Amino acid sequence: MKLPDTAQRIHELIRKINHYNHQYYQNSVSEIPDYEFDTLLEELSGLEKQHPDLKRTDSPTQRVGGTITKEFPTVYHRFPMLSLGNTYSEDDIREFDRRVRKAIGETVEYVCEMKFDGVALSLTYENGVLQRGVTRGDGVRGDDITPNIRTIKTLPLTIAGDAVPALFEVRGEGFLPSDVFTQLNKEREDIGEALLANPRNAASGTFKMQDSGLVARRKLDCYVYSFLADQTPFDTHAAGLVQLKRWGFNVSPTWQVCATIGEVMDYIHRWESARFQLPLATDGIVIKVNRYDQQQELGYTAKSPRWAIAYKYPAQIASTTLKGVIYNVGRTGAVTPVAKLDPVLLAGTVVKRATLHNANEIARLDLRLGDAVFIEKGGEIIPKVTRVDLTRRDPASQSIVYPVHCPVCSTPLIRREGEAAYYCPNEKGCPPQLKAKLEHFIQRRAMNIESLGEGKIELLFDKGLVRRADQLYDLQPEALLGLEKNIVDEETGGVRKVSFREKTVENILSALRKSKEVPFKNVLFALGIRYVGATVAEKLAAYFRNVEALAEANFEALIAVPEIGGRIAQSTLDFFADPDNRQFVERLGAAGLQLATPDAPVVLESNQLVGKTFVVSGLFAGFERDELKQKIEANGGKVLSGISGKLNYLVAGENTGPSKREKATQLGVRIISESEFMLLVGGQ
Ligand code: IVH
């Protein structure tokens, strides 16, 4: 393609992809099948790699990230990012209205919006192209986090149309949708990582991550709520919101024009409980004078506009008594203290338990048994104890003594360096850890044997039939039939009977049989290797193809896998270094579980690469990495997982690390590019 044609094609691809993205993310309309969309994106990415000079800052390929920023530059805001006066009192809101009307002397209309609880962002557009995204910082200067901002799928990278001002800013709230947050924590739980406290902290941490590729995977979103320019093309804030929506921004549909303060009050009351259905946390509402000329007339104080105010909903707090502390032991042995409370109503639910996080938190609260405590529900789902009412403390009350032994198996607890949690190190004998490992094994995303859920695992464990998941496959119907147990629900105190009748046994055995077809990646996840969540398991399974290759891989070979870092590599090594774990895996293999990814049938194209070995690393313009490996095999070559003296070629794409190149050079391995590889197989 000639250069002007390429530029034209890039232009066309960007326009098309942006259109489909907008339809998909803003309007939930899928206009073309996924693979067609991916083909367009790949074509664009390929053209950009061949012609880096034609790569545009508004290209949708930027959305997948890839930039690493060691330190975000600090930049000044063109318009300072002010804060809002806020109040918890409805009287103050009426007073605000009186002040406004007195100053203006004519009728005033308001716009009410939700007050989103995320991270304030300022986005600069020049000639319709997103140029910069900055955090609030101190209001005068913030961090330039543009590569991370570009990963927000609902934020237009380009705006088309006649009336687009040459330079303007959009302000909004970046956030992690509640369902994404829940999923993220579920994944962290899977791999035994500390849970993120709430969606706002998670969003704020994500916006500051150095690797925009990781940011892209977190699915951040942004609701925009202000338009700023030297000359605004609209007369009212409401018209601005409508236009922002038309330009493709994500504007929360919750805003409303209110003609009177009475309507404002109705809005406040209506959203008080309805706000919990929204996809993100909110902590109040913002009331803004609608007309820009009136806003100007009212002006600003040093810190905030006189034309707006925030009404904050009272925090969801309740006061109750601490009855005791129980200590839960999780799959990884982490001990979590949980407060047992006198039941109390909070935000529509009866609360009997609240998290105390860890020993440090108990010390910080200076908690004692029998204390009157305040509990709160913030953005997080589980309530937490936030404060002790010292005025009501019984002077004779006893401090809480954090256990030094596991509350279940009595093993002395340990604390790992740099971690707040205590752990029970008895991973092979501690009942709650063993049970949690079994629960992990049977879950849907692992072996999908959910007919074993709801107390049945506990029953099998307590009867001594299953201590480790491989024993599930030895179960005989006769041993199961008639088993029963009363299980006491800790929450309600209610008793539930679990029993194995004929139908139950049939279901369990059939689910166990079916689980033998579950692909290797799920089995690998089910093993419960620390830090190996479902996504990592998929990557390892695709790369090493079978469990033997994975078990034999050394540290270098493991970190050679894209996106596998030192921590995962080490825990994988530790897992396979343990003979019990090796025996566990062997027994699963003997039971018939899938411990390998079936090879795609190789259609032989030529014998050009027979006897030659290859390692493939980095990103390629014309291939996915797996496709390149298939191409090698289709031409008779062999793909290895690590660089060694035996290796003939390292096919190095973009992003191949310098250490890998160095090692290959030292060992005399030839390093070839994608195009040199194509010459080897007779392509061009
Ligand atoms: S307008 C002059 N609208 O609240 C300030 N802010 O205390 C204009 N916020 O940092 C801000 N939802 O991050 C506005 N609908 C909304 C908002 C909102 C949340 C945050 C924003 C700002 C803080 C101000």
Side-chain angles (χ1 to χ4, degrees):
M1 233 191 286
K2 288 206 201 90
L3 210 57
D5 294 343
T6 310
Q8 178 57 31
R9 180 64 186 155
I10 286 181
H11 176 75
E12 205 173 298
L13 285 166
I14 290 182
R15 195 185 50 74
K16 274 195 183 168
I17 294 169
N18 281 343
H19 168 78
Y20 294 131
N21 257 338
H22 176 72
Q23 288 295 80
Y24 186 79
Y25 286 104
Q26 301 268 8
N27 301 334
S28 306
V29 178
S30 197
E31 286 188 353
I32 53 165
D34 282 1
Y35 70 88
E36 275 181 35
F37 180 86
D38 291 344
T39 313
L40 293 176
L41 202 59
E42 268 164 32
E43 183 184 346
L44 177 60
S45 163
L47 288 176
E48 285 175 347
K49 272 185 198 132
Q50 282 166 15
H51 306 275
D53 47 317
L54 293 180
K55 187 163 179 160
R56 286 175 20 186
T57 49
D58 64 338
S59 167
T61 55
Q62 303 274 323
R63 296 225 190 259
V64 293
T67 322
I68 307 282
T69 317
K70 280 272 168 278
E71 206 167 317
F72 297 110
T74 307
V75 291
Y76 280 88
H77 295 296
R78 253 170 60 79
F79 306 96
M81 289 184 81
L82 300 175
S83 56
L84 286 170
N86 65 58
T87 177
Y88 288 93
S89 137
E90 293 190 8
D91 284 346
D92 285 355
I93 299 295
R94 292 185 193 279
E95 177 52 34
F96 163 80
D97 172 52
R98 273 192 288 277
R99 241 181 6 246
V100 165
R101 278 188 293 120
K102 190 163 167 221
I104 299 290
E106 54 177 336
T107 47
V108 178
E109 226 175 37
Y110 297 105
V111 170
C112 285
E113 295 165 12
M114 300 311 298
K115 189 169 190 302
F116 309 111
D117 197 10
V119 178
L121 298 174
S122 176
L123 316 158
T124 306
Y125 285 79
E126 276 176 41
N127 301 317
V129 177
L130 172 64
Q131 287 299 354
R132 218 166 66 171
V134 184
T135 61
R136 179 173 186 276
D138 61 7
V140 178
R141 300 175 320 169
D143 290 340
D144 181 340
I145 52 164
T146 311
N148 292 349
I149 297 283
R150 288 209 176 99
T151 68
I152 304 174
K153 295 279 200 320
T154 62
L155 213 56
L157 299 177
T158 345
I159 298 161
D162 316 325
V164 182
L167 177 65
F168 66 92
E169 280 189 33
V170 176
R171 298 272 162 88
E173 202 79 353
F175 65 95
L176 204 60
S178 311
D179 55 343
V180 178
F181 172 75
T182 312
Q183 178 60 26
L184 194 65
N185 259 350
K186 174 102 200 48
E187 282 164 17
R188 290 176 80 93
E189 197 182 346
D190 280 347
I191 60 172
E193 282 228 66
L195 300 190
L196 301 164
N198 58 50
R200 183 171 32 120
N201 289 3
S204 156
T206 307
F207 276 115
K208 296 281 175 64
M209 278 161 66
Q210 295 180 340
D211 181 348
S212 62
L214 293 179
V215 179
R217 286 202 257 138
R218 287 263 178 112
K219 302 198 184 98
L220 290 162
D221 205 338
C222 176
Y223 273 148
V224 304
Y225 47 65
S226 296
F227 173 92
L228 291 167
D230 287 329
Q231 257 124 29
T232 36
F234 342 99
D235 297 331
T236 62
H237 177 62
L241 292 179
V242 170
Q243 188 57 57
L244 283 170
K245 178 87 195 144
R246 279 205 202 111
W247 280 334
F249 288 94
N250 199 10
V251 178
S252 165
T254 48
W255 66 275
Q256 185 190 314
V257 177
C258 294
T260 64
I261 196 67
E263 285 182 28
V264 170
M265 292 301 167
D266 289 346
Y267 183 92
I268 291 180
H269 299 146
R270 187 149 32 85
W271 283 102
E272 174 142 27
S273 52
R275 68 199 175 103
F276 294 109
Q277 312 306 321
L278 295 174
L280 79 167
T282 55
D283 57 354
I285 68 155
V286 185
I287 302 146
K288 301 175 179 173
V289 168
N290 192 16
R291 270 170 51 184
Y292 284 149
D293 60 335
Q294 292 180 339
Q295 287 188 0
Q296 253 184 342
E297 207 177 325
L298 287 158
Y300 298 82
T301 70
K303 282 190 296 188
S304 52
R306 289 202 181 88
W307 46 262
I309 191 166
Y311 171 82
K312 300 252 248 169
Y313 289 113
Q316 310 274 313
I317 300 180
S319 165
T320 183
T321 310
L322 179 72
K323 303 301 276 177
V325 178
I326 46 177
Y327 298 90
N328 283 340
V329 184
R331 178 165 64 92
T332 57
V335 176
T336 318
V338 177
K340 259 170 63 178
L341 307 165
D342 255 349
V344 60
L345 195 65
L346 174 66
T349 50
V350 177
V351 177
K352 295 176 194 145
R353 299 269 192 275
T355 174
L356 288 167
H357 299 296
N358 51 48
N360 295 351
E361 181 70 0
I362 293 181
R364 188 186 71 78
L365 291 165
D366 179 26
L367 206 56
R368 307 221 186 139
L369 291 177
D371 267 345
V373 292
F374 292 102
I375 56 166
E376 249 178 70
K377 256 189 198 172
E380 49 284 283
I381 322 302
I382 310 162
K384 60 180 180 191
V385 175
T386 51
R387 203 157 57 80
V388 175
D389 185 351
L390 291 173
T391 61
R392 289 164 59 196
R393 170 167 284 172
D394 176 354
S397 65
Q398 290 173 11
S399 288
I400 288 161
V401 184
Y402 207 85
V404 288
H405 292 100
C406 173
V408 186
C409 74
S410 304
T411 306
L413 298 181
I414 55 162
R415 207 173 204 177
R416 299 199 182 121
E417 208 173 302
E419 289 189 38
Y422 280 93
Y423 287 86
C424 166
N426 181 18
E427 53 177 321
K428 289 183 192 167
C430 178
Q433 293 188 51
L434 296 177
K435 278 190 242 178
K437 284 191 176 104
L438 292 169
E439 303 277 1
H440 173 80
F441 188 87
I442 63 158
Q443 65 169 302
R444 194 178 45 78
R445 287 174 311 132
M447 302 306 292
N448 194 16
I449 323 173
E450 294 214 319
S451 46
L452 266 176
E454 290 177 14
K456 298 199 183 67
I457 281 289
E458 192 160 341
L459 175 53
L460 292 176
F461 185 87
D462 291 351
K463 298 284 178 199
L465 288 171
V466 179
R467 277 174 72 81
R468 204 174 61 180
D470 50 313
Q471 294 168 334
L472 288 170
Y473 296 93
D474 299 334
L475 290 174
Q476 298 300 324
E478 313 80 64
L480 297 177
L481 260 176
L483 285 184
E484 59 179 34
K485 185 182 179 214
N486 288 333
I487 293 187
V488 183
D489 188 322
E490 281 250 356
E491 273 299 301
T492 60
V495 177
R496 206 159 38 93
K497 190 176 214 157
V498 180
S499 60
F500 283 0
R501 279 189 277 272
E502 208 161 324
K503 188 77 201 146
T504 325
V505 172
E506 250 172 51
N507 286 343
I508 292 172
L509 294 177
S510 125
L512 280 165
R513 269 196 304 276
K514 266 218 200 109
S515 77
K516 296 180 186 176
E517 287 153 31
V518 159
F520 175 43
K521 64 180 167 64
N522 296 51
V523 182
L524 190 51
F525 171 55
L527 294 182
I529 304 172
R530 190 143 198 231
Y531 305 128
V532 178
T535 322
V536 169
E538 189 170 352
K539 298 224 155 76
L540 291 173
Y543 193 91
F544 289 102
R545 319 292 297 173
N546 61 59
V547 84
E548 288 85 20
L550 176 64
E552 293 317 316
N554 60 16
F555 190 82
E556 279 71 32
L558 285 162
I559 57 168
V561 184
E563 293 171 49
I564 303 300
R567 201 176 59 155
I568 299 171
Q570 192 54 52
S571 75
T572 307
L573 284 180
D574 293 346
F575 181 88
F576 287 108
D578 182 332
D580 283 347
N581 288 338
R582 289 212 176 221
Q583 190 226 16
F584 172 47
V585 175
E586 266 165 34
R587 295 238 317 139
L588 291 177
L593 270 60
Q594 301 295 319
L595 295 181
T597 307
D599 287 327
V602 177
V603 184
L604 217 54
E605 290 173 8
S606 82
N607 289 327
Q608 312 247 33
L609 306 181
V610 169
K612 300 275 185 292
T613 54
F614 295 80
V615 162
V616 171
S617 168
L619 301 171
F620 301 93
F623 299 95
E624 286 296 323
R625 202 175 305 105
D626 273 353
E627 287 172 349
L628 187 54
K629 288 182 185 171
Q630 275 166 21
K631 186 97 186 152
I632 293 170
E633 283 165 5
N635 287 281
K638 200 163 172 227
V639 182
L640 304 182
S641 58
I643 298 171
S644 69
K646 289 182 288 184
L647 182 68
N648 299 119
Y649 295 99
L650 168 66
V651 193
E654 209 177 295
N655 289 355
T656 301
S659 61
K660 220 175 256 181
R661 285 178 184 275
E662 216 168 278
K663 187 163 181 195
T665 313
Q666 271 171 12
L667 294 170
V669 174
R670 263 194 73 188
I671 305 176
I672 56 170
S673 67
E674 181 179 355
S675 36
E676 285 168 312
F677 169 78
M678 288 311 289
L679 289 175
L680 280 185
V681 290
Q684 44 329 97

